[in-house]
Amino acid sequence: MKAKLGVSALVLLFLGGLWLVAAPFAVGYQPLGGAYVDATVNDLWLGGALAALSFAALVFYAADALRELTARDELVAEHRSVPSRHVDS
């Protein structure tokens, strides 16, 4: 449950960062062909940083999840390869 909440938060942060990057052009407060206004520069830096950090966190989380799944698979394979000893009475 905690993992789903964390991944959901990271995805929302990533999408929020992408929105901050696109907002000046989508909303229209950045004049076409003009010099970037201060609000556009702020949105680009903040949105880019937010999107990059949340994407990196998602990649690290996915790598950790794959590492854990691989370890579980190795444990299951090791457990299956060891013959069980049954004592017949």
Side-chain angles (χ1 to χ4, degrees), residues 8 15 21 30 33 38 42 53 63 66 74 77 79 82 88:
S8 299
L15 293 175
V21 170
Q30 171 61 44
D38 289 339
N42 185 39
L53 287 173
L66 283 174
E74 289 173 359
H79 181 68
V82 175
D88 293 329

Side-chain angles (χ1 to χ4, degrees), residues 5-69:
L5 184 63
V7 170
S8 299
L10 287 173
V11 168
L12 287 175
L13 283 172
F14 179 70
L15 293 175
L18 291 181
W19 170 249
L20 282 175
V21 170
F25 311 103
V27 175
Y29 63 82
Q30 171 61 44
L32 291 176
Y36 283 173
V37 295
D38 289 339
T40 300
V41 173
N42 185 39
D43 279 358
L44 290 176
W45 279 105
L46 185 62
L50 187 64
L53 287 173
S54 58
F55 183 76
L58 281 169
V59 168
F60 285 132
Y61 178 80
D64 187 47
L66 283 174
R67 193 176 311 117
E68 184 179 331
L69 286 173

